[in-house]
Amino acid sequence: MKTFPSLNTETRSHVSTACAAYHLSRQPQTLRLWACLENGPLRPIRLNGRLAWPVAEMRRLLEGAQ
């Protein structure tokens, strides 16, 4: 199993689907479904055909703020 840096120490503005899924305790396919259906709690951006998930929004979601 791959490990990722803590969100508190993350310096990037966006992370990969695998990293976001790890921090949100979801399967990567769940995040891809959120992106496809545009109905999840986070909206990724698309860079060259790949999804990039916003770290700031992930922090807010995990802190319970809406």
Side-chain angles (χ1 to χ4, degrees):
M1 182 172 168
K2 193 171 182 179
T3 60
F4 298 95
S6 163
L7 279 182
N8 295 333
T9 61
E10 184 61 65
T11 58
R12 298 173 290 178
S13 64
H14 290 74
V15 295
S16 69
T17 299
C19 183
Y22 172 81
H23 288 296
L24 297 172
S25 299
R26 298 287 184 264
Q27 292 293 318
Q29 189 59 33
T30 300
L31 275 68
R32 290 185 198 103
L33 189 63
W34 290 350
C36 182
L37 299 177
E38 296 183 353
N39 67 349
L42 296 174
R43 298 286 167 99
I45 61 171
R46 288 169 173 82
L47 296 171
N48 297 323
R50 299 198 181 254
L51 299 173
W53 299 86
V55 173
E57 293 297 318
M58 287 176 30
R59 285 183 186 134
R60 275 191 221 119
L61 180 65
L62 292 172
E63 290 171 359
Q66 295 293 333

